[in-house]
Amino acid sequence: MSTLYKNDGSGRLHGRVAIVTGSSSGMGRAIALALAQEGASVVCSDLRPEASAKGFEPDKHIPTHEVIIQNGGRSVFQKCDMGKTDEVIALVNFAVEQYGKLNILVNNAGLWLPLREFVKETEEMWDAMLSINSKGPATAMRQAIKQFLKQPVDESGSRGRIVNISSSAGITAIGGEATYAASKAALSMLTRNVALDHAKDYINVNAVCPGVVRTALSSTNFNDPKIIAEMRKSTPWPRLGEPSDIAKVVVFLCSDDAQWVTGVNIAVDGGFTVGIPL
């Protein structure tokens, strides 16, 4: 296994502490690894440390936090169900107890269900989507901000940074994703409102809105040639997304280069939300 992480203090996030929810597979795994590569100590969080068997990672047999440790980084795993408020609060407390501070929160964990018409959705689906995709991240943000406010403005000019992983479905309508889209649109607007409330506190709050990305969560689509053919038609860029595409933008938003960036929803989607290509 090649050494990915710098130990000489030259990483852009050296000395900072990050929480990444939904870190065992897909985008969350790529984000956690990318933050660690830049020197951050990462609290990996998910329902379980093991990667999903449906994922596409070549090393998915190794939990994310163990990959980080094996490559010279600092990481621990803490179980958290984003639909359970007490576990979300405990996650933030655990990170602070483990490392003495918190600098970065990445709300990546989410729930997505196979495509269906709105009339076929249930109250249970609605409650679960909003709980995990909207309320859970809101709770995590609130707890993180409480900690950020205890900390001084650091050398980067920020008390803390939050990056929410929303979705292109929260920007443009996609057939068969009504409830999911509503939950992600809520997260995108929540990002803007929280950023507005806490800009005065030197706290950056932004969101990334992925398009069609190849992950365990979307494997149902990627294993359906008809669905993928339609997704390719709707994506202007000549390829669909990979988790690393999202991770690179998250790292930027967590870096000093994004000190004056707050309240934005960045579409990382190969042009999916721009329009329908010829």
Side-chain angles (χ1 to χ4, degrees):
M1 186 178 296
S2 61
T3 299
L4 300 176
Y5 309 113
K6 302 174 182 178
N7 295 314
D8 58 1
S10 63
R12 286 184 287 172
L13 304 177
H14 177 74
R16 297 178 194 175
V17 176
I19 292 173
V20 181
T21 67
S23 63
S24 293
S25 298
M27 291 185 289
R29 185 180 180 95
I31 291 166
L33 294 175
L35 295 178
Q37 186 172 358
E38 291 292 344
S41 298
V42 183
V43 176
C44 294
S45 174
D46 213 314
L47 296 177
R48 59 191 63 84
E50 296 79 19
S52 171
K54 297 179 181 179
F56 300 95
E57 298 90 352
D59 59 353
K60 62 185 178 183
H61 60 288
I62 309 174
T64 305
H65 71 289
E66 292 186 8
V67 174
I68 292 172
I69 293 169
Q70 288 178 14
N71 284 281
R74 300 175 70 199
S75 185
V76 292
F77 176 83
Q78 174 73 4
K79 176 186 176 296
C80 180
D81 182 339
M82 292 299 289
K84 297 180 179 179
T85 299
D86 58 339
E87 291 193 14
V88 176
I89 294 173
L91 172 62
V92 176
N93 291 340
F94 172 82
V96 177
E97 291 168 2
Q98 187 74 24
Y99 292 113
K101 62 178 181 176
L102 180 65
N103 306 103
I104 296 165
L105 168 67
V106 181
N107 276 316
N108 167 77
L111 175 64
W112 179 89
L113 297 171
L115 303 176
R116 78 201 61 78
E117 292 182 341
F118 175 69
V119 73
K120 296 179 181 178
E121 295 187 339
T122 66
E123 292 300 314
E124 291 75 17
M125 290 178 183
W126 180 265
D127 290 343
M129 287 281 191
L130 288 179
S131 177
I132 294 171
N133 294 348
S134 306
K135 183 182 177 182
T139 300
M141 282 195 282
R142 190 178 304 112
Q143 294 305 120
I145 290 171
K146 288 178 181 178
Q147 175 60 32
F148 292 162
L149 291 173
K150 298 176 183 178
Q151 300 172 176
V153 177
D154 64 22
E155 68 280 359
S156 73
S158 175
R159 275 198 173 90
R161 293 176 167 83
I162 296 173
V163 181
N164 295 317
I165 305 302
S166 184
S167 173
S168 58
I171 299 174
T172 188
I174 300 173
E177 291 195 339
T179 304
Y180 175 77
S183 70
K184 288 298 189 177
L187 182 58
S188 287
M189 184 50 70
L190 185 64
T191 297
R192 291 171 59 82
N193 276 271
V194 176
L196 186 61
D197 281 354
H198 292 286
K200 69 182 187 302
D201 300 314
Y202 297 91
I203 295 172
N204 303 79
V205 186
N206 296 291
V208 174
C209 302
V212 185
V213 179
R214 190 174 65 126
T215 68
L217 194 64
S218 63
S219 60
T220 301
N221 285 351
F222 272 85
N223 292 326
D224 188 323
K226 292 183 179 179
I227 293 178
I228 287 302
E230 291 301 314
M231 293 295 187
R232 290 185 184 279
K233 289 180 183 178
S234 302
T235 302
W237 204 260
R239 67 170 176 84
L240 298 180
E242 294 291 337
S244 59
D245 294 313
I246 309 306
K248 291 172 184 176
V249 179
V250 172
V251 168
F252 161 71
L253 290 173
C254 293
S255 75
D256 295 1
D257 293 336
Q259 178 188 343
W260 215 45
V261 179
T262 198
V264 301
N265 283 267
I266 301 178
V268 185
D269 62 2
F272 182 85
T273 54
V274 174
I276 301 172
L278 292 174

